Amino acid sequence: MTTYYTREHEWIAVEGDVATVGITDYAQSQLGDIVFVEVPSAGTQVAKGKEAAVVESVKAASDIYAPVSGEIVEGNAALEGDPALANTAPEGEGWFFKLTLSDTSELEGLMDETAYKAFVDGL
């Protein structure tokens, strides 16, 4: 499994042609206590860089963008029932959705863990 990161603070873990997407620990720390999450339904088509989910915290509401294009195969129902999972396990049980990749070349240009850490350190 390979994990990539976006400048919008999403992570994407790719295994075969399926990717799991969530927000980074940095993102959840910036949002504060997350009180609501709306994840996409299975079968939804998403395009790279377009809105795919919504997260609301005590500080703000934010869109979660699809790091790559594809078809949603699963939204994290546990996250809708317990939005705080995005705070307590943002890069684990607090994942937002899984999708099948429609174009693996879209992974190019995403950051690896080292590059993302340097990006965050520069903020």
Side-chain angles (χ1 to χ4, degrees), residues 59-120:
K59 291 183 179 177
S62 301
D63 292 320
I64 304 302
Y65 301 101
V68 293
S69 301
E71 181 177 330
I72 301 297
V73 293
E74 184 180 357
N76 188 351
L79 194 58
E80 288 187 311
D82 184 9
L85 276 175
N87 288 120
T88 58
E91 298 183 34
E93 294 177 26
W95 57 274
F96 277 58
F97 55 88
K98 295 182 180 185
L99 59 80
T100 55
L101 301 167
S102 61
D103 182 359
T104 55
S105 71
E106 291 181 343
L107 295 169
E108 296 171 17
L110 297 176
M111 293 178 275
D112 63 15
E113 185 174 359
T114 302
Y116 179 71
K117 185 175 181 334
F119 171 70
V120 169

Side-chain angles (χ1 to χ4, degrees), residues 10-98:
E10 290 104 7
W11 58 266
I12 173 172
V14 179
E15 188 165 2
D17 65 346
V18 176
T20 304
V21 178
I23 61 173
T24 65
D25 187 57
Y26 175 83
Q28 72 79 23
S29 70
Q30 294 298 303
L31 286 166
D33 292 337
I34 294 172
V35 295
F36 174 80
V37 175
E38 180 180 325
V39 297
S41 302
T44 303
Q45 295 288 328
V46 295
K48 180 178 181 175
K50 300 296 182 184
E51 301 159 6
V54 176
V55 61
E56 291 182 20
S57 71
V58 294
K59 291 183 179 177
S62 301
D63 292 320
I64 304 302
Y65 301 101
V68 293
S69 301
E71 181 177 330
I72 301 297
V73 293
E74 184 180 357
N76 188 351
L79 194 58
E80 288 187 311
D82 184 9
L85 276 175
N87 288 120
T88 58
E91 298 183 34
E93 294 177 26
W95 57 274
F96 277 58
F97 55 88
K98 295 182 180 185

